[in-house]
Amino acid sequence: MTSLIWQEIGKGLWDTLYVSVVSTLLAYVVGLPLGVVLAITDKSGLKKNFIVNKTLGIVINILRSIPFLILFVLVIPFTRLVAGTSIGAAASIVPLTIAAAPFVARLTETSLKEVDSGVIEAALACGTPTVKIICKAIIPEALPSILSNAVIAFVTVVGYSAMAGFCGGGGLGQIAIKYGYYNNNQTVMLVSVAVIVVIVQLFQEGGLWLARFKDKRRKNAK
Amino acid sequence: MEEIIKLSGVNKVFKSKNGETNALSDVNLSVYRGEIIGVIGFSGAGKSTLVRCINALEVPDDGKVTVLGQEVNELKNSELLKLRRKIGMIFQGFNLLQQKTVLKNVTFPLEVAGMKKKEAVWKAVSLLEEVGLAEKIKAYPAQLSGGQKQRVAIARALANDPEILLCDEATSALDAETSAQILKLLKEINEKRGITVVIIAHQLSVIRTACSRVAVIDGGKLCETGTVEEVFSDPQTSAAKRLLAFEGDEL
Ligand SMILES: Nc1ncnc2c1ncn2[C@@H]1O[C@H](COP(=O)(O)OP(=O)(O)OP(=O)(O)O)[C@@H](O)[C@H]1O
Ligand SMILES: [Mg+2]
């Protein structure tokens, strides 16, 4: 393999990484508050609200049931509006965020609902306003679970971003199709796949380690 | 004597798929300042529902709940939050924040009430000394025994200098010896601080050790109230008699 190809793999790696990280972060900016709303408006939640819960739930289910490639194409006009173009790594952040945010909302909802209701009750009983119960009790208690779910979200976004690469999204996905498919250079494709696998493993292990480290329910927590 | 808590004509019905439960029917109860009162009854009798009405964790369908001269279900939200800070509560399951240290668990209600961090730490440390846990300040709840966890919960409940302490089966998860120690601590707190204490239990021994007065609740009805000696030596209702009979079996 020429050094040019290596350079391109390096660039692809960088694109995949930053696109996935930025998209996951943005997905949390949108999805985390939505997850909080889902959890607290639930029938066993702090601020039960059937209409809000159902409406938001349906919107999220619809978004989640659209296959990513179709969503990618559907939102192209919006992507152009936001990013100025629909091609390239940076532009793919838009559809990736839209696809990941509802997923993140559901993951967050699950994490928050795992928090022991007794703990929430104790916070209520000492006169804590709702917002503080959410920010100072529920979210910190759910943090280890939120962190390990963030790993799942990130890995999913990496997978989506490779798909985005197939339709002009850049990154390692694009390299795979350019060399592996059109130029029939299997080596490049395999190397790209290997690189993605390594990235995912690193984030997976690192994220889970962090989640475990942060979890003070261990006997030997510091 | 000042009535610090007064329930009059309190009704509470829970509706579920399997029908309706009359958790409380026409409950009238007065608690006087400075006393330790026990509420006893079999499982499902409505004990928890009754105390949860006192700090409005449960809102009755009708009837009046007056605490510290305020009608709890008529209060604005901000006033209710203030009132709750005057009512400490401890639970069977301790309900500590698992991800926070012992110290942070106790500063939590203080900071919520707007106290500066430094001051809150100061106060929390002295509270933890009071419950005999000063050396565990940096530990997490998972590293404590049941009795220690309940001590942290007591320190937390006392944080905002409450006038009332509600204890919902606070010793049910503990062994006999630890349970006795916790009851002793509650009595000390009552004497030293003059806090009114409401103790829920399904074991007579708990009531006998700690309380001066007792209310017997059965099937959502408050059927007998009196001094511990009165009720235990000469029970008037079948519910109280059944409770006493069960104690005999236990011993
Ligand atoms: N949130 C609820 N929804 C439906 N039913 C409830 C609810 N809370 C309590 N109940 C019912 O109300 C009745 C009284 O419950 P409560 O928890 O007050 O009993 P308890 O005397 O505290 O019992 P235990 O000793 O088991 O704690 C029970 O029949 C219970 O099933
Ligand atoms: Mg109960």
Side-chain angles (χ1 to χ4, degrees):
Chain A
M1 284 197 296
T2 65
S3 71
L4 198 71
I5 291 177
W6 277 113
Q7 244 174 39
E8 226 172 310
I9 291 179
K11 167 108 180 22
L13 171 63
W14 169 246
D15 281 349
T16 296
L17 258 183
Y18 97 79
V19 163
S20 303
V21 169
V22 172
S23 304
T24 308
L25 286 177
L26 288 177
Y28 267 88
V29 170
V30 181
L32 193 86
L34 292 180
V36 170
V37 173
L38 280 174
I40 68 165
T41 56
D42 183 62
K43 57 181 178 301
S44 55
L46 262 182
K47 289 267 177 243
K48 182 162 74 171
N49 189 321
F50 183 79
I51 294 173
V52 171
N53 190 273
K54 267 283 166 284
T55 315
L56 185 58
I58 289 171
V59 172
I60 283 175
N61 288 347
I62 291 174
L63 279 174
R64 286 203 55 204
S65 51
I66 304 174
F68 176 67
L69 276 181
I70 292 169
L71 186 80
F72 184 92
V73 176
L74 276 177
V75 301
I76 282 180
F78 181 69
T79 309
R80 286 213 182 100
L81 197 72
V82 177
T85 169
S86 64
I87 298 176
S92 70
I93 290 174
V94 178
L96 284 171
T97 303
I98 295 173
F103 181 47
V104 166
R106 283 292 184 207
L107 288 174
T108 306
E109 180 194 14
T110 315
S111 296
L112 299 184
K113 281 186 178 168
E114 282 164 13
V115 174
D116 178 13
S117 62
V119 172
I120 298 170
E121 199 160 284
L124 266 177
C126 64
T128 317
T130 313
V131 176
K132 280 196 181 165
I133 295 190
I134 296 165
C135 303
K136 307 245 163 184
I138 301 181
I139 292 179
E141 285 296 291
L143 195 63
S145 162
I146 291 175
L147 283 173
S148 42
N149 278 337
V151 177
I152 296 177
F154 177 76
V155 173
T156 308
V157 170
V158 170
Y160 285 171
S161 83
M163 279 194 243
F166 269 60
C167 6
L172 289 175
Q174 191 191 18
I175 290 177
I177 193 166
K178 184 168 157 195
Y179 290 95
Y181 188 72
Y182 291 122
N183 295 345
N184 206 7
N185 184 339
Q186 296 293 339
T187 324
V188 177
M189 194 166 92
L190 287 177
V191 170
S192 311
V193 169
V195 169
I196 289 193
V197 168
V198 170
I199 294 178
V200 167
Q201 285 296 327
L202 285 177
F203 273 83
Q204 180 88 42
E205 288 306 313
L208 290 185
W209 177 84
L210 189 66
R212 261 197 307 274
F213 175 76
K214 283 279 174 194
D215 193 349
K216 307 302 184 192
R217 285 170 297 186
R218 291 169 296 135
K219 285 272 180 225
N220 58 350
K222 284 264 159 29
Chain B
M1 274 192 295
E2 183 196 344
E3 283 179 322
I4 194 165
I5 302 169
K6 188 174 167 63
L7 281 74
S8 23
V10 170
N11 283 302
K12 177 78 193 178
V13 178
F14 287 111
K15 294 186 183 71
S16 66
K17 284 186 212 98
N18 323 326
E20 297 188 346
T21 316
N22 283 306
L24 295 175
S25 356
D26 192 26
V27 169
N28 296 291
L29 177 69
S30 293
V31 177
Y32 300 101
R33 185 180 282 279
E35 75 171 333
I36 304 187
I37 185 169
V39 177
I40 190 163
F42 289 108
S43 186
K47 305 180 296 291
S48 296
T49 311
L50 190 153
V51 283
R52 290 161 55 81
C53 284
I54 295 172
N55 59 1
L57 285 178
E58 214 72 80
V59 179
D61 298 323
D62 53 309
K64 232 167 70 173
V65 180
T66 314
V67 178
L68 291 161
Q70 293 174 290
E71 212 179 302
V72 287
N73 298 305
E74 302 292 320
L75 295 176
K76 284 191 304 189
N77 190 46
S78 61
E79 294 168 329
L80 176 62
L81 295 181
K82 283 215 182 83
L83 178 67
R84 280 181 176 160
R85 288 169 200 165
K86 292 285 145 208
I87 311 173
M89 189 168 191
I90 57 175
F91 309 83
Q92 177 171 6
F94 320 119
N95 299 355
L96 298 174
L97 294 152
Q98 299 285 324
Q99 305 295 343
K100 287 187 169 41
T101 60
V102 164
L103 183 68
K104 282 270 158 74
N105 265 283
V106 183
T107 56
F108 182 88
L110 291 167
E111 285 178 25
V112 161
M115 191 183 267
K116 293 250 159 50
K117 210 170 200 149
K118 255 192 182 157
E119 243 179 293
V121 168
W122 247 96
K123 184 154 191 197
V125 171
S126 82
L127 284 161
L128 285 164
E129 275 166 6
E130 189 175 339
V131 299
L133 264 188
E135 78 279 18
K136 293 286 182 188
I137 280 176
K138 291 206 175 105
Y140 287 92
Q143 299 157 346
L144 303 179
S145 70
Q148 290 172 329
K149 282 182 201 162
Q150 198 59 290
R151 283 169 193 270
V152 178
I154 291 172
R156 174 175 69 177
L158 295 178
N160 284 312
D161 300 312
E163 298 187 42
I164 298 168
L165 182 60
L166 307 175
C167 313
D168 189 351
E169 309 251 9
T171 59
S172 298
L174 305 173
D175 63 49
E177 197 185 329
T178 317
S179 164
Q181 285 167 357
I182 295 291
L183 289 174
K184 186 162 157 268
L185 178 63
L186 291 176
K187 272 170 103 168
E188 280 168 18
I189 287 164
N190 163 263
E191 278 159 27
K192 246 196 328 202
R193 296 171 164 252
I195 295 182
T196 310
V197 183
V198 181
I199 292 183
I200 296 190
H202 58 248
Q203 294 163 303
L204 279 161
S205 56
V206 171
I207 306 288
R208 236 193 256 283
T209 338
C211 306
S212 46
R213 263 187 346 125
V214 60
V216 181
I217 183 167
D218 191 43
K221 293 198 180 68
L222 199 67
C223 44
E224 201 167 335
T225 321
T227 66
V228 172
E229 298 85 65
E230 277 168 14
V231 173
F232 286 180
S233 60
D234 184 20
Q236 300 295 311
T237 55
S238 73
K241 283 176 190 158
R242 272 185 292 139
L243 279 161
L244 276 165
F246 263 91
E247 190 193 35
D249 290 346
E250 259 174 27
L251 293 176

mmCIF file of all heavy atoms in Angstrom, chain B residues 47-84:
data_model
loop_
_atom_site.group_PDB
_atom_site.id
_atom_site.type_symbol
_atom_site.label_atom_id
_atom_site.label_comp_id
_atom_site.label_asym_id
_atom_site.label_seq_id
_atom_site.Cartn_x
_atom_site.Cartn_y
_atom_site.Cartn_z
ATOM 1 N N LYS B 47 -50.495 2.029 57.662
ATOM 2 C CA LYS B 47 -49.558 2.798 58.489
ATOM 3 C C LYS B 47 -48.736 3.776 57.641
ATOM 4 O O LYS B 47 -48.639 4.958 57.971
ATOM 5 C CB LYS B 47 -48.594 1.856 59.233
ATOM 6 C CG LYS B 47 -49.274 0.791 60.073
ATOM 7 C CD LYS B 47 -48.276 -0.099 60.773
ATOM 8 C CE LYS B 47 -47.412 -0.934 59.841
ATOM 9 N NZ LYS B 47 -48.109 -2.003 59.125
ATOM 10 N N SER B 48 -48.135 3.271 56.584
ATOM 11 C CA SER B 48 -47.295 4.142 55.753
ATOM 12 C C SER B 48 -48.139 5.248 55.137
ATOM 13 O O SER B 48 -47.726 6.414 55.113
ATOM 14 C CB SER B 48 -46.625 3.343 54.640
ATOM 15 O OG SER B 48 -45.754 2.391 55.183
ATOM 16 N N THR B 49 -49.309 4.881 54.645
ATOM 17 C CA THR B 49 -50.179 5.891 54.038
ATOM 18 C C THR B 49 -50.478 6.987 55.052
ATOM 19 O O THR B 49 -50.450 8.179 54.712
ATOM 20 C CB THR B 49 -51.483 5.236 53.547
ATOM 21 O OG1 THR B 49 -51.154 4.081 52.787
ATOM 22 C CG2 THR B 49 -52.288 6.188 52.697
ATOM 23 N N LEU B 50 -50.730 6.588 56.290
ATOM 24 C CA LEU B 50 -51.037 7.573 57.327
ATOM 25 C C LEU B 50 -49.884 8.557 57.531
ATOM 26 O O LEU B 50 -50.080 9.768 57.481
ATOM 27 C CB LEU B 50 -51.362 6.848 58.639
ATOM 28 C CG LEU B 50 -51.934 7.685 59.787
ATOM 29 C CD1 LEU B 50 -52.788 6.810 60.685
ATOM 30 C CD2 LEU B 50 -50.873 8.358 60.608
ATOM 31 N N VAL B 51 -48.668 8.061 57.721
ATOM 32 C CA VAL B 51 -47.577 9.024 57.956
ATOM 33 C C VAL B 51 -47.246 9.812 56.706
ATOM 34 O O VAL B 51 -46.844 10.972 56.792
ATOM 35 C CB VAL B 51 -46.255 8.410 58.471
ATOM 36 C CG1 VAL B 51 -46.347 8.070 59.915
ATOM 37 C CG2 VAL B 51 -45.768 7.303 57.636
ATOM 38 N N ARG B 52 -47.426 9.190 55.541
ATOM 39 C CA ARG B 52 -47.130 9.919 54.301
ATOM 40 C C ARG B 52 -48.117 11.071 54.074
ATOM 41 O O ARG B 52 -47.827 11.995 53.316
ATOM 42 C CB ARG B 52 -47.117 8.965 53.117
ATOM 43 C CG ARG B 52 -45.899 8.012 53.156
ATOM 44 C CD ARG B 52 -46.124 6.798 52.293
ATOM 45 N NE ARG B 52 -46.449 7.158 50.925
ATOM 46 C CZ ARG B 52 -45.546 7.492 50.023
ATOM 47 N NH1 ARG B 52 -44.279 7.435 50.332
ATOM 48 N NH2 ARG B 52 -45.906 7.863 48.824
ATOM 49 N N CYS B 53 -49.270 11.003 54.713
ATOM 50 C CA CYS B 53 -50.203 12.128 54.647
ATOM 51 C C CYS B 53 -49.685 13.320 55.452
ATOM 52 O O CYS B 53 -50.009 14.464 55.160
ATOM 53 C CB CYS B 53 -51.579 11.721 55.175
ATOM 54 S SG CYS B 53 -52.510 10.717 54.010
ATOM 55 N N ILE B 54 -48.885 13.030 56.467
ATOM 56 C CA ILE B 54 -48.400 14.107 57.341
ATOM 57 C C ILE B 54 -47.464 15.050 56.579
ATOM 58 O O ILE B 54 -47.525 16.258 56.748
ATOM 59 C CB ILE B 54 -47.699 13.515 58.593
ATOM 60 C CG1 ILE B 54 -48.727 12.743 59.438
ATOM 61 C CG2 ILE B 54 -47.033 14.624 59.428
ATOM 62 C CD1 ILE B 54 -48.121 11.968 60.593
ATOM 63 N N ASN B 55 -46.607 14.515 55.714
ATOM 64 C CA ASN B 55 -45.742 15.419 54.933
ATOM 65 C C ASN B 55 -46.174 15.522 53.474
ATOM 66 O O ASN B 55 -45.398 15.882 52.604
ATOM 67 C CB ASN B 55 -44.262 15.033 55.061
ATOM 68 C CG ASN B 55 -43.982 13.622 54.590
ATOM 69 O OD1 ASN B 55 -44.892 12.915 54.149
ATOM 70 N ND2 ASN B 55 -42.737 13.214 54.669
ATOM 71 N N ALA B 56 -47.437 15.172 53.233
ATOM 72 C CA ALA B 56 -48.054 15.346 51.911
ATOM 73 C C ALA B 56 -47.351 14.571 50.802
ATOM 74 O O ALA B 56 -47.405 14.941 49.640
ATOM 75 C CB ALA B 56 -48.170 16.829 51.542
ATOM 76 N N LEU B 57 -46.683 13.470 51.160
ATOM 77 C CA LEU B 57 -46.205 12.574 50.102
ATOM 78 C C LEU B 57 -47.428 11.865 49.525
ATOM 79 O O LEU B 57 -47.419 11.362 48.409
ATOM 80 C CB LEU B 57 -45.225 11.543 50.662
ATOM 81 C CG LEU B 57 -43.821 12.051 50.998
ATOM 82 C CD1 LEU B 57 -42.969 10.942 51.576
ATOM 83 C CD2 LEU B 57 -43.153 12.640 49.765
ATOM 84 N N GLU B 58 -48.478 11.821 50.342
ATOM 85 C CA GLU B 58 -49.755 11.261 49.904
ATOM 86 C C GLU B 58 -50.808 12.324 50.204
ATOM 87 O O GLU B 58 -50.759 12.951 51.262
ATOM 88 C CB GLU B 58 -50.036 9.993 50.730
ATOM 89 C CG GLU B 58 -50.745 8.901 50.015
ATOM 90 C CD GLU B 58 -49.858 8.205 48.986
ATOM 91 O OE1 GLU B 58 -49.051 7.344 49.364
ATOM 92 O OE2 GLU B 58 -50.015 8.531 47.797
ATOM 93 N N VAL B 59 -51.696 12.557 49.256
ATOM 94 C CA VAL B 59 -52.737 13.556 49.474
ATOM 95 C C VAL B 59 -54.061 12.829 49.711
ATOM 96 O O VAL B 59 -54.479 12.024 48.888
ATOM 97 C CB VAL B 59 -52.858 14.495 48.251
ATOM 98 C CG1 VAL B 59 -53.962 15.515 48.475
ATOM 99 C CG2 VAL B 59 -51.531 15.197 48.012
ATOM 100 N N PRO B 60 -54.699 13.076 50.867
ATOM 101 C CA PRO B 60 -55.951 12.378 51.146
ATOM 102 C C PRO B 60 -57.063 12.791 50.191
ATOM 103 O O PRO B 60 -57.009 13.875 49.615
ATOM 104 C CB PRO B 60 -56.297 12.832 52.576
ATOM 105 C CG PRO B 60 -55.198 13.679 53.047
ATOM 106 C CD PRO B 60 -54.315 14.017 51.911
ATOM 107 N N ASP B 61 -58.044 11.900 50.017
ATOM 108 C CA ASP B 61 -59.191 12.234 49.173
ATOM 109 C C ASP B 61 -60.068 13.257 49.871
ATOM 110 O O ASP B 61 -60.589 14.159 49.243
ATOM 111 C CB ASP B 61 -59.988 10.965 48.853
ATOM 112 C CG ASP B 61 -59.152 9.974 48.069
ATOM 113 O OD1 ASP B 61 -58.359 10.434 47.226
ATOM 114 O OD2 ASP B 61 -59.266 8.758 48.312
ATOM 115 N N ASP B 62 -60.285 13.082 51.167
ATOM 116 C CA ASP B 62 -60.864 14.172 51.939
ATOM 117 C C ASP B 62 -60.415 14.101 53.389
ATOM 118 O O ASP B 62 -59.735 13.152 53.785
ATOM 119 C CB ASP B 62 -62.401 14.248 51.802
ATOM 120 C CG ASP B 62 -63.072 12.935 52.110
ATOM 121 O OD1 ASP B 62 -62.672 11.890 51.532
ATOM 122 O OD2 ASP B 62 -63.979 12.925 52.933
ATOM 123 N N GLY B 63 -60.804 15.126 54.125
ATOM 124 C CA GLY B 63 -60.315 15.248 55.494
ATOM 125 C C GLY B 63 -59.239 16.315 55.566
ATOM 126 O O GLY B 63 -58.814 16.843 54.534
ATOM 127 N N LYS B 64 -58.825 16.615 56.790
ATOM 128 C CA LYS B 64 -57.894 17.720 57.000
ATOM 129 C C LYS B 64 -56.635 17.226 57.701
ATOM 130 O O LYS B 64 -56.716 16.462 58.659
ATOM 131 C CB LYS B 64 -58.573 18.785 57.868
ATOM 132 C CG LYS B 64 -58.511 20.174 57.265
ATOM 133 C CD LYS B 64 -59.442 21.151 57.959
ATOM 134 C CE LYS B 64 -58.995 21.499 59.362
ATOM 135 N NZ LYS B 64 -59.827 22.573 59.947
ATOM 136 N N VAL B 65 -55.482 17.641 57.219
ATOM 137 C CA VAL B 65 -54.222 17.323 57.891
ATOM 138 C C VAL B 65 -53.568 18.638 58.281
ATOM 139 O O VAL B 65 -53.229 19.448 57.421
ATOM 140 C CB VAL B 65 -53.271 16.528 56.963
ATOM 141 C CG1 VAL B 65 -51.976 16.216 57.690
ATOM 142 C CG2 VAL B 65 -53.937 15.257 56.466
ATOM 143 N N THR B 66 -53.426 18.865 59.589
ATOM 144 C CA THR B 66 -52.814 20.103 60.055
ATOM 145 C C THR B 66 -51.504 19.780 60.755
ATOM 146 O O THR B 66 -51.460 18.942 61.653
ATOM 147 C CB THR B 66 -53.749 20.828 61.050
ATOM 148 O OG1 THR B 66 -55.068 20.823 60.494
ATOM 149 C CG2 THR B 66 -53.306 22.256 61.263
ATOM 150 N N VAL B 67 -50.421 20.403 60.287
ATOM 151 C CA VAL B 67 -49.105 20.158 60.871
ATOM 152 C C VAL B 67 -48.474 21.504 61.200
ATOM 153 O O VAL B 67 -48.440 22.392 60.345
ATOM 154 C CB VAL B 67 -48.204 19.376 59.895
ATOM 155 C CG1 VAL B 67 -46.830 19.170 60.488
ATOM 156 C CG2 VAL B 67 -48.827 18.041 59.533
ATOM 157 N N LEU B 68 -48.011 21.665 62.433
ATOM 158 C CA LEU B 68 -47.400 22.910 62.886
ATOM 159 C C LEU B 68 -48.301 24.104 62.564
ATOM 160 O O LEU B 68 -47.837 25.146 62.097
ATOM 161 C CB LEU B 68 -46.025 23.088 62.220
ATOM 162 C CG LEU B 68 -44.957 22.096 62.678
ATOM 163 C CD1 LEU B 68 -43.820 22.022 61.673
ATOM 164 C CD2 LEU B 68 -44.419 22.481 64.043
ATOM 165 N N GLY B 69 -49.591 23.884 62.761
ATOM 166 C CA GLY B 69 -50.554 24.962 62.558
ATOM 167 C C GLY B 69 -50.909 25.258 61.108
ATOM 168 O O GLY B 69 -51.676 26.172 60.825
ATOM 169 N N GLN B 70 -50.328 24.484 60.185
ATOM 170 C CA GLN B 70 -50.629 24.743 58.781
ATOM 171 C C GLN B 70 -51.391 23.568 58.176
ATOM 172 O O GLN B 70 -51.066 22.414 58.448
ATOM 173 C CB GLN B 70 -49.336 24.953 57.989
ATOM 174 C CG GLN B 70 -48.595 26.205 58.368
ATOM 175 C CD GLN B 70 -47.256 26.288 57.659
ATOM 176 O OE1 GLN B 70 -46.345 25.521 57.952
ATOM 177 N NE2 GLN B 70 -47.153 27.190 56.717
ATOM 178 N N GLU B 71 -52.381 23.899 57.357
ATOM 179 C CA GLU B 71 -53.117 22.832 56.706
ATOM 180 C C GLU B 71 -52.330 22.389 55.463
ATOM 181 O O GLU B 71 -52.250 23.121 54.474
ATOM 182 C CB GLU B 71 -54.512 23.325 56.330
ATOM 183 C CG GLU B 71 -55.534 22.226 56.399
ATOM 184 C CD GLU B 71 -56.912 22.731 56.061
ATOM 185 O OE1 GLU B 71 -57.396 23.653 56.738
ATOM 186 O OE2 GLU B 71 -57.488 22.203 55.100
ATOM 187 N N VAL B 72 -51.748 21.190 55.515
ATOM 188 C CA VAL B 72 -50.726 20.825 54.519
ATOM 189 C C VAL B 72 -51.238 20.801 53.090
ATOM 190 O O VAL B 72 -50.511 21.144 52.163
ATOM 191 C CB VAL B 72 -50.046 19.470 54.828
ATOM 192 C CG1 VAL B 72 -49.105 19.580 55.993
ATOM 193 C CG2 VAL B 72 -51.040 18.380 55.066
ATOM 194 N N ASN B 73 -52.476 20.411 52.896
ATOM 195 C CA ASN B 73 -52.948 20.281 51.518
ATOM 196 C C ASN B 73 -53.500 21.570 50.935
ATOM 197 O O ASN B 73 -53.966 21.602 49.808
ATOM 198 C CB ASN B 73 -53.946 19.134 51.419
ATOM 199 C CG ASN B 73 -53.279 17.820 51.789
ATOM 200 O OD1 ASN B 73 -52.263 17.452 51.200
ATOM 201 N ND2 ASN B 73 -53.794 17.153 52.812
ATOM 202 N N GLU B 74 -53.423 22.648 51.745
ATOM 203 C CA GLU B 74 -53.853 23.954 51.244
ATOM 204 C C GLU B 74 -52.646 24.817 50.910
ATOM 205 O O GLU B 74 -52.786 25.930 50.428
ATOM 206 C CB GLU B 74 -54.693 24.685 52.310
ATOM 207 C CG GLU B 74 -55.939 23.933 52.777
ATOM 208 C CD GLU B 74 -56.987 23.844 51.677
ATOM 209 O OE1 GLU B 74 -57.168 24.839 50.963
ATOM 210 O OE2 GLU B 74 -57.588 22.763 51.519
ATOM 211 N N LEU B 75 -51.440 24.298 51.170
ATOM 212 C CA LEU B 75 -50.245 25.124 51.022
ATOM 213 C C LEU B 75 -49.836 25.291 49.565
ATOM 214 O O LEU B 75 -50.034 24.393 48.742
ATOM 215 C CB LEU B 75 -49.075 24.503 51.789
ATOM 216 C CG LEU B 75 -49.201 24.435 53.309
ATOM 217 C CD1 LEU B 75 -48.003 23.695 53.893
ATOM 218 C CD2 LEU B 75 -49.303 25.824 53.895
ATOM 219 N N LYS B 76 -49.243 26.451 49.257
ATOM 220 C CA LYS B 76 -48.598 26.629 47.962
ATOM 221 C C LYS B 76 -47.359 25.741 47.933
ATOM 222 O O LYS B 76 -46.815 25.393 48.980
ATOM 223 C CB LYS B 76 -48.149 28.091 47.785
ATOM 224 C CG LYS B 76 -49.255 29.044 47.463
ATOM 225 C CD LYS B 76 -48.683 30.392 47.044
ATOM 226 C CE LYS B 76 -47.775 30.938 48.128
ATOM 227 N NZ LYS B 76 -47.308 32.294 47.965
ATOM 228 N N ASN B 77 -46.881 25.429 46.734
ATOM 229 C CA ASN B 77 -45.746 24.506 46.634
ATOM 230 C C ASN B 77 -44.542 24.978 47.446
ATOM 231 O O ASN B 77 -43.926 24.200 48.169
ATOM 232 C CB ASN B 77 -45.366 24.301 45.168
ATOM 233 C CG ASN B 77 -44.364 23.174 45.012
ATOM 234 O OD1 ASN B 77 -44.542 22.109 45.596
ATOM 235 N ND2 ASN B 77 -43.296 23.419 44.283
ATOM 236 N N SER B 78 -44.223 26.275 47.362
ATOM 237 C CA SER B 78 -43.039 26.770 48.074
ATOM 238 C C SER B 78 -43.215 26.645 49.583
ATOM 239 O O SER B 78 -42.269 26.352 50.311
ATOM 240 C CB SER B 78 -42.769 28.224 47.688
ATOM 241 O OG SER B 78 -43.877 29.026 48.055
ATOM 242 N N GLU B 79 -44.451 26.855 50.053
ATOM 243 C CA GLU B 79 -44.706 26.722 51.487
ATOM 244 C C GLU B 79 -44.612 25.256 51.915
ATOM 245 O O GLU B 79 -44.109 24.943 52.992
ATOM 246 C CB GLU B 79 -46.100 27.264 51.834
ATOM 247 C CG GLU B 79 -46.233 28.755 51.627
ATOM 248 C CD GLU B 79 -47.687 29.211 51.691
ATOM 249 O OE1 GLU B 79 -48.594 28.432 51.317
ATOM 250 O OE2 GLU B 79 -47.922 30.347 52.103
ATOM 251 N N LEU B 80 -45.074 24.357 51.040
ATOM 252 C CA LEU B 80 -45.006 22.928 51.354
ATOM 253 C C LEU B 80 -43.541 22.488 51.463
ATOM 254 O O LEU B 80 -43.164 21.739 52.376
ATOM 255 C CB LEU B 80 -45.730 22.105 50.284
ATOM 256 C CG LEU B 80 -45.651 20.593 50.450
ATOM 257 C CD1 LEU B 80 -46.298 20.166 51.761
ATOM 258 C CD2 LEU B 80 -46.321 19.876 49.290
ATOM 259 N N LEU B 81 -42.693 22.973 50.534
ATOM 260 C CA LEU B 81 -41.274 22.625 50.595
ATOM 261 C C LEU B 81 -40.677 23.069 51.923
ATOM 262 O O LEU B 81 -39.920 22.331 52.555
ATOM 263 C CB LEU B 81 -40.510 23.277 49.431
ATOM 264 C CG LEU B 81 -40.870 22.796 48.016
ATOM 265 C CD1 LEU B 81 -40.017 23.509 46.980
ATOM 266 C CD2 LEU B 81 -40.702 21.300 47.887
ATOM 267 N N LYS B 82 -41.045 24.279 52.371
ATOM 268 C CA LYS B 82 -40.538 24.787 53.663
ATOM 269 C C LYS B 82 -41.026 23.936 54.824
ATOM 270 O O LYS B 82 -40.259 23.602 55.721
ATOM 271 C CB LYS B 82 -40.989 26.242 53.860
ATOM 272 C CG LYS B 82 -40.192 27.236 53.046
ATOM 273 C CD LYS B 82 -40.008 28.559 53.824
ATOM 274 C CE LYS B 82 -39.261 29.577 52.993
ATOM 275 N NZ LYS B 82 -40.185 30.300 52.065
ATOM 276 N N LEU B 83 -42.305 23.563 54.771
ATOM 277 C CA LEU B 83 -42.863 22.755 55.858
ATOM 278 C C LEU B 83 -42.161 21.400 55.925
ATOM 279 O O LEU B 83 -41.833 20.896 56.998
ATOM 280 C CB LEU B 83 -44.370 22.553 55.670
ATOM 281 C CG LEU B 83 -45.045 21.684 56.736
ATOM 282 C CD1 LEU B 83 -45.021 22.398 58.087
ATOM 283 C CD2 LEU B 83 -46.474 21.323 56.360
ATOM 284 N N ARG B 84 -41.908 20.811 54.740
ATOM 285 C CA ARG B 84 -41.255 19.491 54.714
ATOM 286 C C ARG B 84 -39.872 19.536 55.346
ATOM 287 O O ARG B 84 -39.396 18.548 55.885
ATOM 288 C CB ARG B 84 -41.153 18.982 53.277
ATOM 289 C CG ARG B 84 -42.455 18.367 52.781
ATOM 290 C CD ARG B 84 -42.286 17.866 51.373
ATOM 291 N NE ARG B 84 -43.496 17.198 50.904
ATOM 292 C CZ ARG B 84 -43.771 16.998 49.626
ATOM 293 N NH1 ARG B 84 -42.926 17.412 48.694
ATOM 294 N NH2 ARG B 84 -44.871 16.372 49.271
#
